[in-house]
Amino acid sequence: MTSDPYAAGPPADRRHLNQTTSRRAATPERQGRTRRLGSLLAAGAAAGALILASFTVATPASAATETWKVGSPVVNDTFARTVASGFGTAELGGAYTSPVTTGLAVAGGGSMSFATPGTARQALLSAVQIADVQSTATITVPALPTAGSGLYFGLQARSDGERYYQSTLRVTPDGSVYLGTARVDGSTADQTRLSKEALIASGLQPGQSLQMDLRTRSSATVTIASRAWVVGGAKPSWQRIATDASAQRLQSGGIGVWGYLSSAAAPQGLGISALSAAPVTSTSANPEPEPTTQVPAPTEPTDPEETPAPEPTTPAEPTTPTTPTTPTAPDSQVPSTGRGSAPVGSTSYAIPAKALYVSPGSRAGGSGTLASPYTSLAHAVDRAPSGSTLVLRAGTYRESVVIASSKKLTIQSYPKEAVWLDGSSTVTGWKKSSVGWAVSGWNTGFDTSPTFTKGASDGSAEAIKFINPAYPLAAYPDQVWVDGVAQQQVASEGAVGAGAFFVDRVGKRLILGTDPSGKTVTASKLQTALAVKSVGSVVRGLGVRNYGNSVYQMGAITAQNDAITFENLVVQDNATIGMYAWGTGVTFANITATGNGMMGGGANSADKFTLKNSVISGNNVQNFNRMPVSGGFKITRSRTVAFTDNDFQKNTTVGLWLDESVYNGKVSGNRSIGNGATGIILEISDTFSVTNNVIASNGRYGLWIGNTGNVQVWNNTITGNSMAALQLTQDKRRQTNVNSAGHDRRQPLPDMTVPWIIKNVTVSNNVISGAGGGCLVCVEDQSKEFTAEQMKLTLNGNVYQRASANAPSLAVRWGQGAATAKSFATVAAFTKATGQERRSVLVEGTAVTTAGYQLTPAALVQSALVVVAVPSSIAGLLGLQAGIAPARAGSLLSP
């Protein structure tokens, strides 16, 4: 046996085998023939626990009116009895059966105890045989696990004790809670994970309770939906939804529960206070299955231990649909209306009279008319005069195209037709080899340079190494899918096994570990989709996927000149960077970038750049190092930029990063939630307004300001981040001692518009909340030169909240240059000593935000007493009148 359940990490990591030494690996799920990206919501819960709420996935048009009714219970158990060994008989539902009753007991509630860690517990109500059912369980976690991958609880449906569907909660030692779904087929060697884990809560406290729902329905295609939340918090929408249309799908069975404790942990248990189940029936005439795919959360590190039967160990999960659709409606509780791309095939742009038409093909041909369209995009670009509009008919364009600087073009989809630029092609001619199956004559030869310089090796210092040693093949752009399921790239032929592939560059072979017989195998053959080099060109209404771009190529689709617009684009599953820009006045609007190997997107030397109404989610799936660059979106060396009304969600590392002499930026109306590292970073830059953002539940800091001055931080909600909510750090870097790193080469050296010094930072009307880290607001100068007073920091009118007086123990750490920093346990003490925060409030224990990140009614009352009037430079960004205080602190985004 090899590891705990789910210890194999994210199986859908697209190109190389995952290693358990990595902290996080975020890989968007791909299942069946549909793919949707939901908007992330974090819901506040009691005692500092923070729910990362469910993804709402869009229903097919034919099922738009479908509703499901929950009937009378067939199982109801409050465990109000005493049973020394086993669970006895439920109040409704019959007797429980268990392979072993040791560790199962009922005494004022059910309990699963694990005197010997590394063992599993299971109990089944086999008298209840039901197919379409919604079951609910409430559990209590008396203590957090001490080590290992965590404490597990599973809720089972359609179970015969050996085969079942199971939704599994995993509680980690740091209080994070994950939710995943699997079908178990009798043994750990024969199972399938139907959805990877989603992070649904962080900061769970000992003694808190969790509730979870599992719904199974239909038979031809079984839909399995699950959700979980901290008791006392808002019930989320379904967080994991998957379908099972395989021959192994389960038709009916009993309701069961299961538990497991990592073998690395100290002995402990969990409590079960309620279990219920009721039939669900469709109230529509022609019920359709719900969509299957959502954006997953990063998985946490796991420990190499024995795998408890019957939980899955190395499930295979589809990662790239053969014919994907595009992101649609996000979670209704935090609406993202207008955010992200319209679904591919749903846009309807006007067609000018002299438009030229294109259809997908492999050879140049056609005349460009509607009756005789050009038969490739490259041919159309070559033939079209500057100023033309190219209208692409439905289909897949397997091309790599450059628009020269001499041609200004508009490229758009035909109304209501789905157009994809796709870098992959079908691979045939497989023959059995010593370790699997091989194709000869494989000549892709993709460059594997890990940095932005072709042929250069990785950096030597840790801060500039692109590659994490645990993921050595991150920069290898090769990608392979079998029937739409991504295969994992390995470093040698001997390592090839089921679900893996190896590129033999010397022998020019592609070697596959999965039997391709009767299956469709596709692989990335092209590296870049579209390089736009002409001023004023527009690309809109398309999808870009599966390109095997090398790091130095910057993006699968690039804007390389001024005034270029990308609009309503889905950019997904490309090997490194999804999209990139350099040039003045570039606009990215209504973009969905997800599943890209290194970053969703980026920009450099891009003055007057705008990213708006976009969703940048689930990127850096190849686990490049956090530094020097990875995650959602990073912009460098640019002036007068705007990031407005975007969602940066569940990227493996940073959400939004503005770095290296970015000057004069607006960051407003964004949601940076659930990223593996910091939510928003401002680094060695200057002059920003950061307003009306939700920065929540990120794996490191909420807002990190480093060596950056003249920052206005107003009306943001910064909550639930693992380390400090607001971190201000000065180090030794200065424009006056810079060699070249980080300096905008277009500006004189030194460029004192960006001196790389924290100064003149105002923080007002924010909600600043947390349960982890050493302080809510942390100010330090690692160069030992400036005190917080010398930095000219102003804090006033903020609402502070923490889980308890000790979580974190400090409200504020106030740097004192070369002297020891001043530490303040309360805001009142901070005010008394410094004169800061004369209008503020600190709440301990009670949550101050709702599920939609608005202030609770009680906090609204307190907030109204402390908020301060906004200056004219900020009023317009918040939709307020200058000199007037807003009605509340925190983000003003609608609930």
Side-chain angles (χ1 to χ4, degrees), residues 338 340 530 532 537 539 554-555 557-561 563-569 571 577-583 585-593 600-604 606 608-616 632-635 642-646 648:
L530 193 58
V532 184
S537 285
V539 181
M554 306 308 293
I557 179 170
T558 52
Q560 302 184 22
N561 213 322
I564 293 170
T565 298
F566 289 169
E567 178 182 280
N568 277 320
L569 300 183
V571 184
I577 302 173
M579 56 188 177
Y580 210 85
W582 52 96
V586 172
T587 297
F588 289 175
N590 293 92
I591 305 293
T592 293
N604 179 59
K608 300 181 180 178
F609 174 83
T610 297
L611 176 71
K612 61 183 180 181
N613 305 326
S614 294
V615 173
I616 313 297
F633 198 100
K634 184 171 185 179
I635 187 169
F643 292 83
T644 58
D645 302 329
N646 305 292
F648 303 95

Side-chain angles (χ1 to χ4, degrees), residues 462-478:
E462 287 300 319
I464 56 173
K465 284 185 177 180
F466 283 68
I467 301 302
N468 183 335
Y471 301 91
L473 303 184
Y476 283 58
D478 312 280

